[in-house]
């Protein structure tokens, strides 16, 4: 071994790998994962990471010598690099991009720099404001200076002043910071005693703990899933192993971390997500590598944290699409990587949700790994759901927007001084065509997804296969001429509501108001405080709101969520309606929920009304099988985009043709089918015209690697962008 492959972070270019000669005196010390110092062009000595070794070099390369090892403790292992390599292969992405995303590059830069920590000495002679700061420091103990300044909302100048006064002392040696020590109010609590059903589920999961397949815990909101996880975590850490716990969003991960810290102590718990500071990342990373953390909670990027000796992985709210990074590459799915990790460590993977992902539910049932808790803890009641058939109200005033029964419920709620949420779940770019007499939506005959109306060329188009048709004269189902395009925005609903209830305090949340920074949080806060009577908004309001004063939730058009041109639309719609129904009646008052629809018999709506997941699943899985959608196939989506519409389409056509030819030639046509190209539903984004090709792979690993290799070899002209999305979460 004469050469080391090292990773360098080049200003302006990002991370690249280079080969360097290993000097004799460090040959027996150098290891993968170590930080080293290397000469690099005009920049002089720079920091780098060792990621591999080789005996020979390409003759054309004039390699330089590694200067020295910066830190003998490696920051990651070979096993870790293997995982990243697998990610690169699976997601058709180059290795360096994966490395770049997974390993916080600040780790390199940080290593060579000295960073101060600060310690409390005395408060003598300090002013009132200074004493406040000093008290905080006394509370936290010795703390990294930068982070302390942030936490205590103070500046370097103030801290320097305090040092010169002798009130604090600066240190230059490395210390670890524990972000959780900021929560000084955390009191340790014992684990809850499980209820009978929780105990049964816990024992059942224990029996399956050696299963190589994911275990699914399907439990309605507040059924007590988290308490079951805690018991399992307790068992695992008692065996001396560690736990990775994923939540879909940073906010949820933070809440969870506090809850974990209360049960298991702040010392053993750490948090990881994209927004923790570089200093914190550096420390948590080192503590993880040194096996000093027992439980790591975090959002999707936490699957790449170097947690050692994993004994259990939990993915809560496993149905959430936030687990998938759609942009930029690597377009990884934390759930897929969690599965891989669980195989690497022979550690069980537990998925939890109130509305499980269809594929995960399918696999769990087949593997006999499904556990259910279908009632709330302590039998707390669920909201009452009513469905309003809009076909009966389309002639009334305010036709097809707010039905008489919904109006009556709103008045009632206002009179009682309670709050209302109205959900308008329409996405601006999608206009489907629906029969107002029978509820039928015009679908593509090949793909079973709604066709989308294109006003510019007056055509209905399928965005999967490219099929086009003109606007039908009559409904193919009932023959009525009541076919209409959908469409009612949040602003219009807000206006109508203000007209109907002139005395009510009405506010709106949608992506328009998001352009004002924090406006959305501000409105939610006011709603929480009871300063708003009726909140009108898009799906943004469906999640997380926990307001005991909300007793009415109205969904203006339940159909809209089902009629996106995406094979997962029914699944997403079912999840959304179930979620939003969970917003009503969380306190001591019972909640009412109203779904307005033109299609009351639609299976996903019916099951959402009955809160019957398994009924929904049975119908959905049959449809997936019939049209070969996941879990019966794997989808790989290729997006070709260009500022020139014609060139985008032409390139997409060329790629599709070559894909087809190669698939035939290498005998993969049995497993792979190529659909399109067709314009993306979002046809133009940031000035780029977008076309997509969908590849359906009949769950054949060779088929997947064939596609991977195909795109490895392809080079595109400079003006064409190519994005490969393996297992995309939507196809818009
Ligand atoms: P989920 O994770 O399914 O949404 P949680 O575990 O958060 O449900 O439980 C909902 C509520 O019920 C929480 O406030 C929790 O503390 C309480 N709870 C659940 N199980 C128990 C138990 N065995 N003993 C006491 N409280 C419990
Ligand atoms: Zn009809
Ligand atoms: Zn089609």
């Amino acid at each position: 071994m004469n050469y080391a492959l090292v990773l360098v972070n080049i200003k302006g270019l990002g991370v690249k790998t280079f080969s360097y000669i290993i000097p004799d005196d460090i040959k027996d010390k150098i290891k993968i994962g170590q930080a080293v110092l290397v000469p690099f062009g005009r920049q002089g000595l720079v920091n780098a990471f060792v990621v591999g070794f080789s005996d020979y070099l390409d003759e054309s390369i004039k390699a330089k010598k590694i200067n020295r090892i910066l830190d003998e403790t490696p920051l990651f292992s070979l096993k870790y690099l293997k995982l990243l390599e697998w990610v690169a292969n699976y997601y058709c992405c180059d290795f360096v991009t994966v490395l770049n995303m997974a390993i916080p590059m600040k780790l390199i830069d940080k290593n060579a720099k000295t960073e101060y920590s600060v310690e409390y000495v005395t408060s003598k002679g300090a002013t009132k404001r200074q004493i406040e700061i000093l008290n905080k420091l006394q509370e936290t103990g010795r703390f990294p200076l930068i982070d302390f300044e942030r936490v205590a909302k103070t500046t370097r100048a103030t801290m320097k002043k305090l040092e010169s006064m002798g009130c604090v002392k600066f240190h230059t040696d490395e210390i670890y910071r524990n972000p959780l020590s900021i929560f000084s109010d955390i009191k340790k609590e014992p684990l809850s005693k499980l209820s009978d059903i929780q105990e049964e589920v816990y024992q059942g999961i224990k029996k399956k703990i050696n299963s190589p397949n994911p275990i699914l815990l399907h439990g309605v909101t507040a059924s007590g899933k988290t308490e079951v996880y805690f018991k399992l975590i307790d068992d695992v850490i008692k065996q001396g192993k560690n736990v990775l716990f994923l939540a879909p969003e940073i906010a949820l991960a933070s809440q969870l971390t506090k809850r974990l810290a209360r049960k298991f102590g702040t010392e053993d718990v750490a948090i990881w997500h994209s927004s923790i500071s570089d200093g914190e990342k550096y420390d948590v990373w080192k503590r993880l590598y040194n096996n000093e953390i027992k439980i790591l909670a975090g959002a999707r990027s936490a699957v790449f944290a170097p947690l050692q000796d994993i004994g259990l992985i939990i993915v809560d709210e496993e149905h959430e699409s936030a687990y998938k990074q759609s942009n930029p590459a690597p377009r990884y799915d934390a759930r897929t990587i969690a599965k891989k990790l669980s195989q690497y460590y022979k550690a069980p993977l537990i998925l939890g949700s109130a509305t499980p992902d269809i594929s995960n539910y399918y696999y769990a049932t087949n593997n006999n790994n499904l556990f259910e808790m279908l009632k709330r803890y302590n039998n707390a009641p669920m909201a009452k759901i009513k469905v309003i058939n809009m076909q009966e109200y389309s002639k009334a005033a305010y036709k097809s927007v707010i039905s008489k029964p919904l109006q009556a419920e709103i008045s009632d709620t206002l009179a009682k001084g309670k709050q209302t949420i109205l959900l308008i779940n329409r996405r601006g770019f999608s206009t489907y065509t629906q029969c107002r007499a029978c509820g039928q939506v015009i679908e593509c005959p090949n793909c079973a997804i709604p066709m989308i109306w294109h006003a510019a060329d007056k055509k209905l188009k399928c965005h999967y296969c490219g099929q086009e048709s003109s606007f039908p004269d009559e409904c193919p189902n009932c023959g009525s001429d009541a076919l209409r395009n959908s469409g009612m925005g949040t602003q219009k609903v807000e206006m109508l509501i203000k007209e109907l209830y002139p005395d009510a305090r009405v506010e709106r949340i949608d992506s328009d108001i998001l352009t004002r920074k924090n406006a959305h949080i501000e409105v939610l806060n006011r709603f929480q405080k009871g300063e708003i009577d009726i909140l009108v908004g898009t799906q943004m309001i469906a999640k997380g709101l926990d307001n005991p004063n909300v007793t009415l939730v109205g969904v203006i058009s339940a159909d809209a969520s089902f009629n996106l041109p995406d094979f997962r639309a029914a699944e997403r719609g079912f999840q959304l309606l179930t979620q939003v129904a969970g917003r009503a009646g969380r306190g001591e008052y019972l909640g009412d929920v109203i779904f307005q629809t033109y299609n009351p018999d639609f299976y996903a709506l019916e099951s959402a009304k009955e809160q019957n997941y398994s009924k929904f699943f049975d119908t959905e899985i049959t449809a997936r099988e019939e049209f070969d959608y996941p879990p019966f196939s794997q989808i790989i989506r290729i997006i070709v985009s260009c500022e020139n519409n014609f060139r985008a389409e032409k390139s997409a056509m060329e790629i599709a043709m070559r894909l087809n030819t190669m698939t035939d030639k290498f005998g993969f046509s049995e497993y792979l089918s190529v659909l399109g190209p067709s314009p993306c539903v979002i046809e133009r984004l940031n000035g780029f015209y977008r076309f997509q090709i969908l590849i359906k792979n009949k769950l054949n690993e060779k088929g997947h690697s064939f596609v991977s290799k195909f795109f490895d070899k392809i080079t595109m002209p400079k003006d064409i962008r190519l994005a490969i999305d393996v297992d995309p979460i939507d196809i818009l």
Side-chain angles (χ1 to χ4, degrees), residues 326-357:
S326 291
N327 259 319
R331 300 181 170 83
Y332 71 93
D333 193 317
R335 294 163 293 195
T336 307
I337 296 169
K339 262 176 232 166
K340 196 75 197 165
L341 270 179
S342 117
Q343 289 160 8
Y344 266 36
Y345 284 94
K346 295 199 169 24
L349 167 61
I350 298 178
L351 305 170
S353 173
T355 48
D357 176 86

Side-chain angles (χ1 to χ4, degrees), residues 443-449 451 461-467 629 675:
E443 289 185 345
C444 170
N446 312 320
C447 307
I449 58 153
M451 296 181 83
K461 292 186 188 172
C462 170
H463 287 268
Y464 279 20
C465 71
Q467 170 109 1
Y629 288 127
L675 298 182

Side-chain angles (χ1 to χ4, degrees), residues 375-480:
K375 290 217 173 84
R376 285 187 167 168
Y377 177 71
N378 258 348
N379 280 327
M382 310 277 257
K384 267 208 327 271
I385 303 179
K386 249 187 265 168
V387 167
I388 304 293
N389 184 353
M390 297 298 283
Q391 292 166 26
E392 292 168 22
Y393 296 94
S394 51
K395 295 209 173 59
Y398 295 104
K399 70 173 183 194
S400 61
V401 184
I402 298 150
S403 63
K404 278 269 146 41
L406 179 55
Q407 286 182 34
E409 290 272 3
I410 296 174
S411 306
D412 206 37
T413 308
L414 282 170
K416 286 189 186 134
K418 297 277 173 275
Q419 289 167 286
T420 300
I421 292 177
L422 293 178
L423 179 77
I424 295 111
N425 44 332
R426 171 175 179 268
R427 294 175 75 169
F429 49 78
S430 108
T431 309
Y432 56 93
T433 304
Q434 187 171 35
C435 171
R436 296 268 156 114
C438 77
Q440 176 78 39
V441 170
I442 306 295
E443 289 185 345
C444 170
N446 312 320
C447 307
I449 58 153
M451 296 181 83
I452 295 299
W453 176 246
H454 287 248
D457 39 4
K458 297 201 167 51
K459 280 210 166 80
L460 285 163
K461 292 186 188 172
C462 170
H463 287 268
Y464 279 20
C465 71
Q467 170 109 1
E468 294 186 358
S469 72
S470 54
F471 197 90
D473 295 330
E474 55 184 47
C475 169
N477 183 46
C478 73
S480 148

Side-chain angles (χ1 to χ4, degrees), residues 32-258:
I32 281 191
Q34 278 172 341
V36 291
L37 210 56
V38 298
F40 194 85
R42 275 188 224 145
Q43 294 180 34
L45 291 175
V46 299
N47 300 314
F49 266 133
V50 182
V51 293
F53 299 108
S54 67
D55 285 327
Y56 306 100
L57 260 199
D58 181 344
E59 277 169 28
S60 62
I61 300 171
K62 273 201 219 106
K64 291 185 190 154
K65 263 191 195 170
I66 291 178
N67 180 287
R68 66 185 167 93
I69 296 173
L70 273 173
D71 188 345
E72 292 206 0
T73 329
L75 286 171
F76 49 83
S77 60
L78 186 61
K79 193 171 180 173
Y80 181 78
L81 282 183
K82 290 264 180 260
L83 175 76
L84 299 192
E85 229 171 291
W86 179 85
V87 171
N89 283 332
Y90 187 89
Y91 290 104
C92 304
C93 173
D94 70 275
F95 183 55
V96 173
T97 309
V98 178
L99 268 174
N100 204 357
M101 180 268 320
I103 303 175
M105 281 306 139
K106 288 286 168 178
L107 282 185
I108 309 183
D109 302 338
K110 205 94 198 175
N111 241 346
K113 272 187 213 135
T114 324
E115 215 202 297
Y116 291 108
S117 63
V118 57
E119 190 177 25
Y120 173 84
V121 180
T122 171
S123 299
K124 249 192 229 122
T127 64
K128 212 168 148 199
R129 166 67 188 145
Q130 285 168 339
I131 287 174
E132 268 174 39
I133 295 169
L134 289 166
N135 284 346
K136 239 187 209 131
L137 184 59
Q138 206 172 3
E139 231 174 75
T140 55
R142 196 169 136 194
F143 214 74
L145 185 54
I146 299 181
D147 296 309
F148 180 75
E149 285 163 3
R150 188 166 52 88
V151 173
K153 299 190 177 67
T154 180
T155 60
R156 184 59 53 94
T158 309
M159 294 309 292
K160 279 203 169 140
K161 182 87 201 293
L162 286 171
E163 195 212 5
S164 70
M165 290 162 61
C167 294
V168 304
K169 204 168 155 188
F170 288 173
H171 298 270
T172 53
D173 50 328
E174 187 173 87
I175 68 149
Y176 293 151
R177 65 215 90 186
N178 180 355
L180 292 187
S181 58
I182 304 165
F183 306 139
S184 51
D185 57 337
I186 286 184
K187 293 253 157 30
K188 222 173 152 170
E189 294 169 356
L191 293 179
S192 306
K193 183 171 171 0
L194 297 185
S195 68
D196 290 351
I197 169 81
Q198 283 172 324
E199 183 67 30
E200 197 180 302
V201 166
Y202 162 71
Q203 295 296 349
I205 292 178
K206 293 282 283 185
K207 287 202 190 94
K208 293 277 176 178
I209 219 92
N210 292 318
S211 167
N213 301 306
I215 295 163
L216 178 64
L217 176 49
H218 170 213
V220 298
T221 351
S223 57
K225 297 185 287 299
T226 312
E227 300 290 337
V228 175
Y229 302 147
F230 285 172
K231 280 288 279 187
L232 293 161
I233 291 172
D234 195 46
D235 293 345
V236 168
I237 56 179
K238 276 184 183 144
Q239 290 161 18
K241 294 200 172 178
N242 304 323
V243 179
L244 175 65
F245 197 144
L246 299 182
E249 283 162 32
I250 292 174
L252 289 174
S254 307
Q255 278 172 25
L256 175 70
T257 310
K258 279 187 219 167

Side-chain angles (χ1 to χ4, degrees), residues 273 389 529:
H273 53 69
N389 184 353
K529 279 193 255 164

